[in-house]
Amino acid sequence: MDILVCVKRVPMVGGKVVITADGQEVETRMSGFAVSPHEECAVEEAVQITERQGGTVTVLTLGPPEAADQLRDMLALGAHRGVLLESDGREWGPVATAAAIAGAVGELGPATFPLILVGNEAADTGGYQVGIRIAHALGRPCVTGIKRLEVDSDVLRAGREYRGAQELFEVALPAVVSVKEGINLPRYPSLPGRLRAKRAEITVLRPEWQPDGLRKTGLRAPESSARRARVLGHGADAVPALVDVLGDLGLLPSAARSSNGAPA
């Protein structure tokens, strides 16, 4: 089976989120970039399916020329081919992104990919839209939020959790599936995988940018609550204060403290 996995280049923001001076972008000069975690799991799932059943995994992303680095990261995990929908750096909305991917599928050969995997949502925008819009554009069934996946001939079985219940979907291929982080544990890239990815040729397509009809007015960083450490005391003198803190957190029964706050 030949599987297409759509991934997104997102900034790695492990600390404080900083907005650019114009309020339009997240400052990424010191953060670097990676693939969304949901989509990394989608790549791993596709690789596992082809390891069991044969076939190929093609990873596709829409982004600037630098996004080829993220495609090579996925090739190092076991994908076989990378496709870059090269953009000029402008932001693409979900409608335009899905249209560009659906158009690329038509160029690459729609019959080549009976299964298209996407991440349930991107790590930066969390829009949840692109996979559904791709399926609609291609006229395919779509199941979302998937944590279990089985492919048997021309039938796909996908499971997810919803409000404490287990839901199981059975759809005919071709189909589009969005998977969630936790469906598997992505492997670490091997040295041969890294070397192969470094030498791999990336297919480049250049879709035409289309406005989405939505206009971003600005970004606002979430307020951070600063917390400082407080020294309760030293040695045995700190015990009463420690007991008070544990009691305030509900970790001690009330009988564990005496009227003056010391241990009973």
Side-chain angles (χ1 to χ4, degrees):
M1 173 178 292
D2 297 323
I3 304 174
L4 176 68
V5 186
C6 303
V7 303
K8 186 179 182 182
R9 180 180 192 253
V10 297
M12 295 188 296
V13 182
K16 182 179 179 181
V17 176
V18 178
I19 306 299
T20 55
D22 61 3
Q24 294 296 309
E25 305 292 340
V26 175
E27 181 57 76
T28 59
R29 286 181 298 177
M30 302 299 292
S31 60
F33 289 87
V35 168
S36 287
H38 295 280
E39 292 152 3
E40 189 175 2
C41 288
V43 173
E44 174 65 29
E45 193 68 19
V47 171
Q48 289 186 17
I49 291 172
T50 56
E51 286 176 344
R52 294 192 300 266
Q53 303 184 9
T56 63
V57 176
T58 299
V59 287
L60 177 149
T61 192
L62 185 150
E66 295 81 6
D69 293 340
Q70 282 65 54
L71 291 177
R72 295 189 189 280
D73 290 342
M74 298 301 99
L75 292 174
L77 294 180
H80 303 89
R81 181 187 182 192
V83 178
L84 172 62
L85 305 186
E86 188 175 290
S87 69
D88 58 4
R90 283 183 289 184
E91 185 172 351
W92 290 58
V95 177
T97 298
I101 293 174
V105 172
E107 269 192 72
L108 297 170
T112 307
F113 306 114
L115 177 59
I116 298 176
L117 297 181
V118 300
N120 200 56
E121 74 267 14
D124 54 353
T125 57
Y128 298 84
Q129 297 186 44
V130 172
I132 297 171
R133 292 184 180 277
I134 293 172
H136 178 74
L138 297 176
R140 298 186 178 192
C142 179
V143 285
T144 62
I146 296 306
K147 294 291 287 286
R148 300 185 311 280
L149 192 60
E150 297 178 8
V151 180
D152 182 13
S153 185
D154 57 351
V155 175
L156 178 145
R157 297 178 184 85
R160 70 182 181 189
E161 299 175 6
Y162 181 70
R163 293 184 177 180
Q166 299 290 329
E167 297 184 335
L168 180 64
F169 300 88
E170 185 173 289
V171 298
L173 295 175
V176 178
V177 177
S178 74
V179 304
K180 295 187 70 173
E181 184 181 8
I183 188 174
N184 54 49
L185 181 62
R187 70 195 68 190
Y188 287 103
S190 64
L191 179 58
R194 289 185 182 277
L195 294 175
R196 184 183 67 249
K198 187 175 182 179
R199 296 191 301 265
E201 183 177 348
I202 303 295
T203 301
V204 178
L205 304 175
R206 295 180 175 85
E208 184 178 352
W209 181 83
Q210 297 289 337
D212 247 13
L214 298 176
R215 184 171 60 88
K216 178 173 62 180
T217 59
L219 299 177
R220 180 174 59 87
E223 296 181 3
S224 58
S225 56
R227 295 185 178 182
R228 295 183 178 179
R230 179 166 61 94
V231 178
L232 299 177
H234 300 279
D237 295 337
V239 172
L242 175 60
V243 171
D244 284 342
V245 171
L246 295 177
D248 292 340
L249 295 174
L251 301 177
L252 290 178
S254 58
R257 289 192 288 177
S258 62
S259 60
N260 65 355

